[in-house]
Amino acid sequence: MITEIGAFALLLALAFSLAQLVLSAAGRIRRSTVLAAAGEGAALAAFIGNLLAFAALMHAFITSDFSVSNVANNSHSEKPLLYRIAGTWGSHEGSMLLWCLALTGFGAAAAILGRTLPRGLKAVMVATQGGLGVVFLAYTVFASNPFARLTAVPVEGRSLNPLLQDPALAVHPPFLYAGYVGMSVVFSLAVAALVEGRVDAAWARWVRPWTLAAWAALTVGITLGSFWAYYELGWGGWWFWDPVENASFMPWLIGAALLHSAIVTEKRGALSGWTVFLALAAFSFSMLGAFLVRSGVLTSVHAFAVDPTRGVLLLIILGVTAGLGFALFAWRAPTLSQGGLFAPISRESALVLNNILLAAATATVLLGTLFPLIREAATGEAISVGPPYFNLTFTPLMAALLILVPAGPLLAWKRGDAAGVAQRLWIAALIAIGCGLLAFALVSPRKAFGAAGLALGFWLITGSLAELVERTRAFRAPAAETWRRLTGLPRGAWGMTLAHIGLGIFVLGACFETGWKQEAAETLPIGGSLDVGAYHLVLETIGGVEGPNYEAERGIIRATRDGAPVCTATPERRFYPAGSQTTSEVYICYQGLSHLYIVLGERRDTGPQPVWLVRAYWNPWASLLFFGPGVMALGGLVSLSDRRLRLGVARRKVQAA
Amino acid sequence: MKLRALFAVLAGVLCIAAASDPAERLPDPRQEAQARQIFQDIRCLVCQNESIDDSDAELARDLRQIVREQVRAGRDEAEIKRFLIDRYGEFVLLRPSMSLGNMALWAGPFLVVLLGAALMLRRLRNRTPEPELSAAEAERLKRIANDEPA
């Protein structure tokens, strides 16, 4: 019964989205506030309908209602409650429902929070958001119905892939989808700006909070996914340049570019056409990601549900939606104003350079992901594009960008002073280079590239701090004045500093981990040992463990360093009878910022006594890989709380006056 | 169902970084390191975009054995890759060759940089002053200045 209510609520959400589109569009055309308000009401109703549908599906998963096809295919009654709940979005159908929930949720939020928007702009935005809702809800209802019933009800479900049975499943997709779909508001705002023919500072100011929110959520989502892959797959890797990872990375890069170009549009009225273009591109890349992950055109280690027919539908949705957006852009963009002038050395130029490099980095990821498909379709020759390609193209582009990051915020608008910037940054540069040289001299084995990467990471941190020192006149003005300036800094400035420092932290982790990770693998009998880095590992025992829906072999491995005990690792090798699958449960000993990463492999009975394959990795500074992006996302949130961006501030001020 | 087949593949390749398996290792650590280096550029043909360094699939094991044997026989990286391409096609390489057919792939990102730089230069050169206000804008400005509703 509840399932039927859910299915009905989903249909209602679709109807309300259609009403939202029609009413808001009519409100704009007839300049009727009543119709526009009705459209906003429909946006809220669509969200509520979608929320009910989502709750109904979750109910079916929690109660293990195997008469629902989606539950029967993806759940199991013995699965722990958390994974039954998270299983709601663990399948293709459920994840599309989550996508729609986020889409209608953002639509309703934009309708409610956008009080200060000009009426025409707002009506077009709400209508566009409604149009997106119609497309995706229609797809969900007609092509991937999560509520489809089975006539022959199975006694037991087929269970969820054990790889997905992890607490990360509860948090990773919601963040990722909030990020993906948050970009839809930016898309709708861009469409509205093009329809209204007005892209100005005020518009850029409305775009920024939505971009910040979506980008911060995407940062958290990607990082959680990276950490999940890191400990779940058991390969000790955190980024594989896999098509699915690339699909999430492209909207992130474009979102980052948009955050920077929107600043130029807001402060200087320039780059308006480009900012609108990026705003359209961000959600287009989100949709491209949704298509790539589900269509099966690309093979991936994180593959989802694969179904070519659905892929075709998603491709049509992507083509039509993005196509309409960009056609509108091509038609209307030439009418947009050029905006303020700037010199070659200026903050505008620095931000343009940032955008060029981020766009080129996105092009790298896009080409690396799609070129094999295009080439095979065109010539019939299959090629592979793997990590070596990205290391040769993406990495130098990013390195060039990172070198420039600290200089940008120190340059003045319109006409900057390169010598002045150099003067303010030379201490930071010296410290960073010194740290790099120190790493080159002290860390063995010696690696010039790794040390240069570390210097770059330090440069991002020291350079950002130098900018903070400059802004607060620290060490030059009296402490009281510095303190006053420090507390008076806008949140946006703090956000930027945090995000840039977070990037530096990530670069440190990435370079140290990649350059100096160590690996060891041996087949060990009970009592056997292996060495990795400075650590000595002894396999003490192997015992059996009975989990809720699996059986496992658990190794007790004691790690020592110079004879002193460090930790007792308990990696497992689990067998899930429901799908007869085996997984490894990695054990990570956290040693400061570094990880001692231990995997228990298969048992081998070839010799006189049984042996187990044990792999161990020493991943120095690996924690920074996940901590750095966390700081970046925090920077986004702090910037989001800036007074300037707080929605409704302008109106309240007007009322007070 | 396709999905389940896929998961089965996933589960099959779980015990990864398979190349470090001591049973396969070459006795000479320098040669072993060289072989591992090569593994990272070679695709496990039947897997989901994995190198043979990572994959535990049967075919990856065979490919590792081929590479290790050739490394042991003293062949260099280029020769070994040539041998694998002749046998399996360019698909086997995770780093596509810098050939004419792959030009767009290798040059594309740098063309974007050049294009962006060219556009930026044009923008900087064409620094014509902003056009005067249009009549409608001047009217609007006047009304705003007079604090009338716009």
Side-chain angles (χ1 to χ4, degrees), chain A residues 215-351:
Chain A
W215 178 85
L218 199 52
T219 309
V220 173
I222 293 175
T223 309
L224 284 170
S226 170
F227 187 53
W228 188 9
Y230 173 74
Y231 69 73
E232 184 65 49
L233 291 176
W235 330 2
W238 45 275
W239 193 260
F240 304 97
W241 293 109
D242 178 89
V244 169
E245 295 169 349
N246 293 348
S248 69
F249 196 35
M250 286 186 277
W252 187 88
L253 286 169
I254 291 292
L258 175 59
L259 282 176
H260 291 89
S261 80
I263 299 174
V264 182
T265 307
E266 184 193 331
K267 302 272 171 160
R268 301 282 309 136
L271 298 188
S272 42
W274 173 246
T275 303
V276 171
F277 180 83
L278 287 178
L280 293 174
F283 187 60
S284 302
F285 274 114
S286 293
M287 289 191 287
L288 177 69
F291 159 70
L292 288 179
V293 176
R294 293 182 176 76
S295 63
V297 296
L298 297 168
T299 53
S300 151
V301 288
H302 316 278
F304 213 115
V306 169
D307 184 339
T309 29
R310 284 174 176 168
V312 170
L313 279 173
L314 282 171
L315 189 62
I316 293 171
I317 292 178
L318 165 67
V320 169
T321 318
L324 282 177
F326 287 113
L328 187 66
F329 177 79
W331 178 36
R332 303 283 287 197
T335 63
L336 298 177
S337 78
Q338 277 262 311
L341 303 174
F342 53 89
I345 305 260
S346 63
R347 195 182 297 181
E348 288 95 325
S349 290
L351 287 166

Side-chain angles (χ1 to χ4, degrees), chain A residues 395-406 428-429 431-437 448-464 500-501 503-509 511:
Chain A
T395 313
L397 285 170
M398 268 299 153
L401 176 61
L402 298 187
I403 289 171
L404 294 170
V405 164
I431 296 174
I433 292 170
C435 289
L437 288 175
F449 268 120
L454 289 178
L456 197 56
F458 283 116
W459 164 236
L460 283 167
I461 296 170
T462 56
S464 300
H500 288 175
I501 288 177
L503 185 60
I505 293 173
F506 167 79
V507 170
L508 287 180
C511 292

Side-chain angles (χ1 to χ4, degrees), chain A residues 494-519:
Chain A
W494 282 112
M496 177 199 71
T497 306
L498 276 175
H500 288 175
I501 288 177
L503 185 60
I505 293 173
F506 167 79
V507 170
L508 287 180
C511 292
F512 212 173
E513 200 269 351
T514 310
W516 286 279
K517 84 184 285 180
Q518 294 185 43
E519 178 199 71

